[in-house]
Amino acid sequence: MTHNYLNNRSKLTYNETIECLYDLKDAEKVIFKEKKFGIISNNSLGIYHKDLKIIAKEIGHDNELAIKLFDSGIYEGRLLCSKMFKPKDVTEPLMEKWVKTFENWEICDSFCMALFSKSKFALAKILEWTKRESEFEKRAGFAIIASYCMADKTSDNRLFEQFLPIIKREANDERLYVKKAVNWALRNIGKRNADLNKKAIEIAYEILELESKSAKWIAKNALSELQKENIRMSDYPRAEYRNPVTIALHN
């Protein structure tokens, strides 16, 4: 992807950014993303995530421009917002405004991974949004859990153990993008370190006993990954889990 504006050293203005997006417009990609990935979006130009990342990297963090891009109503402008807004500056009103607009898993996960999980409101929104009725608002709660497992490299296991009952509580939700996020959250907790792996496996077996098809799928899928002999662990917090004494205790 190339654009003359991206070769300039000065930051793009709002109008230049919009022009850049329209230069990349591809209606065939809108159709492909819907058929291949189930991404149904209003006012989409058909631009791949990798190309948006290039634009976001060139512009850098710019809260004012990010908000303008979101308010443009252009789908890819909203995706850019998630990549350009500074996580430390996000507010609860903005989070609530944005989450209510999520219309597919792509934009939900982009905001949760790049922005929400790194904000100071991450834990509060996990507790709130995992109870929500709206499919993508609820997904957002679990996507933050999944992302927080990677974003928070220092918290102890007690913080993450409190999410396991929430995962079990919502495992009966049959909606595709909720159950996939519940499963994602469970797997990521179980890949944080060896002790949380055991806890996640325990809760997965409890979920397996539930009657719903969704719960059984979540549990079986998680167990197939969490019980692999060669599963890759993040070993967070590494001061503990890459400490020779701790490693010896787990071997």
Side-chain angles (χ1 to χ4, degrees):
M1 184 207 71
T2 59
H3 193 287
N4 291 335
Y5 290 131
L6 298 182
N7 296 322
N8 297 333
R9 291 189 177 181
S10 59
K11 283 190 176 183
L12 300 188
T13 65
Y14 170 77
N15 288 335
E16 287 171 343
T17 307
I18 295 297
E19 184 177 340
C20 183
L21 292 177
Y22 272 96
D23 282 351
L24 294 168
K25 183 177 180 179
D26 188 337
E28 291 186 1
K29 288 178 182 176
V30 176
I31 297 169
F32 177 78
K33 287 173 69 176
E34 181 175 343
K35 289 184 176 179
K36 181 72 173 179
F37 304 111
I39 298 172
I40 301 172
S41 51
N42 291 307
N43 205 18
S44 176
L45 301 177
I47 305 171
Y48 287 145
H49 224 74
K50 61 183 178 66
D51 294 328
L52 294 172
K53 287 175 71 174
I54 293 172
I55 298 172
K57 185 176 180 180
E58 288 292 330
I59 297 174
H61 286 303
D62 187 327
N63 292 352
E64 184 179 354
L65 178 56
I67 289 174
K68 287 181 179 178
L69 289 169
F70 187 93
D71 291 341
S72 74
I74 299 170
Y75 178 69
E76 286 79 7
R78 292 184 167 185
L79 285 173
L80 270 181
C81 173
S82 72
K83 303 176 185 306
M84 292 168 52
F85 200 93
K86 293 180 182 178
K88 70 180 182 65
D89 293 335
V90 75
T91 64
E92 283 193 275
L94 275 176
M95 292 176 78
E96 289 293 341
K97 172 186 174 180
W98 291 336
V99 76
K100 287 178 171 60
T101 69
F102 294 166
E103 55 191 334
N104 60 56
W105 64 264
E106 180 185 41
I107 195 162
C108 176
D109 295 359
S110 184
F111 271 86
C112 292
M113 295 172 71
L115 192 54
F116 294 166
S117 66
K118 299 174 183 177
S119 80
K120 59 186 175 183
F121 303 108
L123 298 179
K125 294 308 169 187
I126 286 171
L127 298 178
E128 288 180 35
W129 291 351
T130 52
K131 296 178 182 178
R132 293 275 173 95
E133 180 56 34
S134 169
E135 182 173 11
F136 291 107
E137 289 179 48
K138 180 178 274 193
R139 180 185 174 90
F142 289 101
I144 296 174
I145 294 176
S147 305
Y148 199 77
C149 289
M150 305 297 113
D152 183 337
K153 297 175 172 58
T154 59
S155 291
D156 64 28
N157 291 347
R158 288 173 296 178
L159 186 148
F160 296 90
E161 287 171 7
Q162 70 179 312
F163 302 145
L164 295 174
I166 297 173
I167 287 170
K168 182 178 178 181
R169 184 192 74 208
E170 302 299 337
N172 289 317
D173 195 316
E174 298 284 353
R175 292 174 294 180
L176 178 63
Y177 295 111
V178 174
K179 73 177 184 180
K180 283 192 171 184
V182 173
N183 170 265
W184 180 23
L186 178 57
R187 287 186 290 110
N188 277 14
I189 291 173
K191 291 187 291 184
R192 186 172 167 85
N193 61 55
D195 290 315
L196 284 174
N197 178 264
K198 292 177 182 177
K199 294 283 187 180
I201 288 172
E202 288 174 9
I203 206 75
Y205 275 111
E206 291 181 22
I207 293 171
L208 191 60
E209 296 300 312
L210 301 177
E211 293 299 322
S212 73
K213 291 181 180 179
S214 174
K216 293 188 183 302
W217 177 85
I218 289 167
K220 289 177 181 178
N221 184 276
L223 288 168
S224 69
E225 180 171 3
L226 297 178
Q227 292 182 313
K228 286 180 179 177
E229 289 185 11
N230 60 343
I231 184 172
R232 293 183 63 181
M233 298 283 187
S234 298
D235 294 332
Y236 295 144
R238 290 183 174 174
E240 178 179 355
Y241 284 93
R242 292 200 177 174
N243 181 302
V245 175
T246 306
I247 293 172
L249 289 173
H250 287 291
N251 292 331

